[in-house]
Amino acid sequence: MTIRSTIVLLTLPLFLGLALVNGALLYFQDRAELRQALNDQAQVTAVTVAEFIREMDDPRRELAKPVRRKALEAALRHIRGIDGLYLLAPGKPPFPLKASATGWNPAALPPAALPSAALPSAALPMPSKPSSFASGSGETGDRWVIAVAPAGGRRFVASRFSAEPLHEHMDAIRRDVLLIIALLGLLATGLGLFVARRITRELEANRRELTRGGDEPPSPGTADLLIREAHDLADALRLMEASRQAADTRRQLVSARKQRLRDPQQAIAETQAALFAPYTVRRGQYEIAMRLCGKVEPGTFFAHALTATGGTAVIGRCRADSPVDALAAAADARRLIERCTDAAELDRTIGRLRALHDVEALERCDWTQDGSGTPCLLALAGEPDLARVRSYCRSSPGIAPEALLAGIAVMLGPDGVFAAIGTAGLGDRRDRSLDIRFDRKDRAEPADIEDLSH
């Protein structure tokens, strides 16, 4: 649902409910007051005429005189809505003081409707729906109001008034109430649409402010928001935009600073350390360890290919026109070698690498799972470093390859690439060995030396 339909659906029932309640109260209260006024008018007419003829010995003869008849008719002409006025006496037909235009027969009134003679000045109005006091014409319903007053000597005066003016007035009130309800419904719909339009307009302004580009000018009208929540939302959006611009500015400044401080040699060294971190493979009783030590050229690489019968460790160095190309060639050579699964495929791959890249040096060592191979050490380094490494290996027999290369990196600090293949177990000489472990995250940085013995 939209905001417009929600506000209209919430506002319209409220206005219509209030209009219905107020209209019903007005209708029933006005109806009761008019009915009571009509009853009072019938009572006053009956009582006044009854008191007028109370002292007459023979009201029929006195009222039959032309003077009194004219005076009575002149007085009754001022009474609106009267339909009949009769003098009732026991054993005599009703004497019309004003004949009914609809043929009313007051003699048909039940005895229970006649008031007591002991109350000479009292009058009893008929009920609002006098179906039990219907006239001789058989009329029923609430079209008439009848009042009876004692006139002395067991005589009574009965008056009847038409309720049609009451019904006409109530019909007019009913039409007015329905018109008011319709007008209030239209007013509620108009107010709901007006309020919804104000809200949606300010939300739309905030939406435009949120979706506009950084190089676009601010949307007009966002500073003239009248709804407090919408104004707060606009402030929040401006704060978010300011934060975004500040973050973009900071990112640009950091990028510019990094660009100024960029060191290609350092970047190449960090990338090489990440691509060729210390690497160890264990297969059965064999352990193959490879690592870069010290400062090496960007094209230096190591790789290991597992085959069905064992594996092959390869170390080498590629030449290229730039250090970046040399590092890329080294990474490609390692990837291609590690994808090989047999010796023949490995030979073909090495041949293609020699043709594709300028492989300056390459050493390899094969091992088999049957244990026929002997431990070996591959190294590409300068002659002084190679001599010290060989001397260290002769003085430390039986050390596992991973620990051996770790000891070389920590104790000797050579510059080159090394690969060692041997058994993983150290036997009874393990207590006298150099046990060193490295975290790959440290990127060839030495870890703690737990035990050092000669």
Side-chain angles (χ1 to χ4, degrees), residues 62-74:
E62 293 292 333
L63 294 176
K65 295 179 180 180
V67 178
R68 290 186 178 275
R69 170 64 62 178
K70 290 181 180 180
L72 183 60
E73 291 177 356

Side-chain angles (χ1 to χ4, degrees), residues 5-350:
S5 59
T6 301
I7 293 178
V8 171
L9 291 179
L10 292 177
T11 306
L12 187 59
L14 176 62
F15 275 76
L16 291 181
L18 293 176
L20 287 174
V21 171
N22 292 331
L25 292 176
L26 174 63
Y27 178 82
F28 289 109
Q29 182 179 1
D30 204 0
R31 180 179 178 180
E33 292 177 353
L34 290 176
R35 185 174 295 279
Q36 184 61 39
L38 191 58
N39 287 338
D40 293 342
Q41 187 178 10
Q43 290 181 17
V44 168
T45 302
V47 170
T48 301
V49 176
E51 293 297 326
F52 175 70
I53 64 176
R54 178 182 293 274
E55 303 300 330
M56 295 181 182
D57 296 332
D58 190 359
R60 293 173 179 266
R61 187 186 61 182
E62 293 292 333
L63 294 176
K65 295 179 180 180
V67 178
R68 290 186 178 275
R69 170 64 62 178
K70 290 181 180 180
L72 183 60
E73 291 177 356
L76 293 177
R77 276 197 299 267
H78 297 285
I79 301 177
R80 182 183 177 185
I82 187 170
D83 183 66
L85 184 65
Y86 290 84
L87 176 62
L88 305 179
K92 296 180 180 180
F95 179 73
L97 303 177
K98 178 178 176 56
S100 174
T102 58
W104 176 44
N105 183 16
L109 294 176
L114 301 178
S116 174
L119 300 174
S121 60
L124 178 65
M126 304 305 289
S128 61
K129 292 186 178 181
S131 59
S132 59
F133 309 119
S135 62
S137 61
E139 298 170 354
T140 58
D142 57 351
R143 294 183 57 193
W144 311 103
V145 175
I146 302 173
V148 181
R154 299 178 64 187
R155 296 185 300 253
F156 299 93
V157 174
S159 63
R160 187 172 81 157
F161 282 76
S162 175
E164 289 300 328
L166 171 64
H167 296 310
E168 294 176 359
H169 183 73
M170 296 312 299
D171 291 339
I173 291 180
R174 191 182 300 110
R175 288 192 299 269
D176 293 342
V177 169
L178 294 177
L179 180 60
I180 291 174
I181 291 175
L183 292 177
L184 285 179
L186 294 176
L187 177 62
T189 304
L191 288 177
L193 293 176
F194 174 75
V195 174
R197 182 181 179 185
R198 293 293 300 273
I199 295 176
T200 53
R201 184 183 65 182
E202 299 196 1
L203 292 179
E204 180 65 19
N206 285 325
R207 188 192 66 80
R208 291 195 303 269
E209 184 69 16
L210 182 63
T211 56
R212 71 178 180 89
D215 54 348
E216 297 180 5
S219 301
T222 54
D224 300 331
L225 301 178
L226 299 179
I227 301 177
R228 185 180 64 182
E229 287 77 7
H231 194 277
D232 294 342
L233 179 59
D235 292 340
L237 293 178
R238 283 192 289 269
L239 180 60
M240 292 171 58
E241 180 65 17
S243 300
R244 185 185 66 81
Q245 293 179 357
D248 292 342
T249 303
R250 181 180 181 277
R251 186 162 49 250
Q252 293 174 1
L253 293 176
V254 170
S255 177
R257 180 176 179 274
K258 288 183 177 180
Q259 187 67 21
R260 291 194 305 270
L261 300 178
R262 187 173 65 91
D263 186 357
Q265 298 298 328
Q266 182 181 0
I268 292 174
E270 292 178 354
T271 304
Q272 185 183 41
L275 292 176
F276 296 96
Y279 180 73
T280 302
V281 178
R282 293 180 179 85
R283 186 75 174 267
Q285 63 177 347
Y286 277 95
E287 180 177 284
I288 300 94
M290 296 175 288
R291 70 185 300 156
L292 299 179
C293 297
K295 296 180 179 180
V296 295
E297 297 183 9
T300 305
F301 69 90
F302 58 76
H304 180 266
L306 286 174
T307 62
T309 59
T312 301
V314 181
I315 60 175
R317 184 167 55 245
C318 299
R319 291 289 186 183
D321 295 337
S322 64
V324 176
D325 293 338
L327 181 61
D332 184 60
R334 180 181 181 182
R335 179 180 60 83
L336 293 177
I337 292 174
E338 289 180 346
R339 291 173 56 183
C340 298
T341 58
D342 57 65
E345 182 181 5
L346 178 62
D347 293 338
R348 290 192 299 270
T349 300
I350 292 177

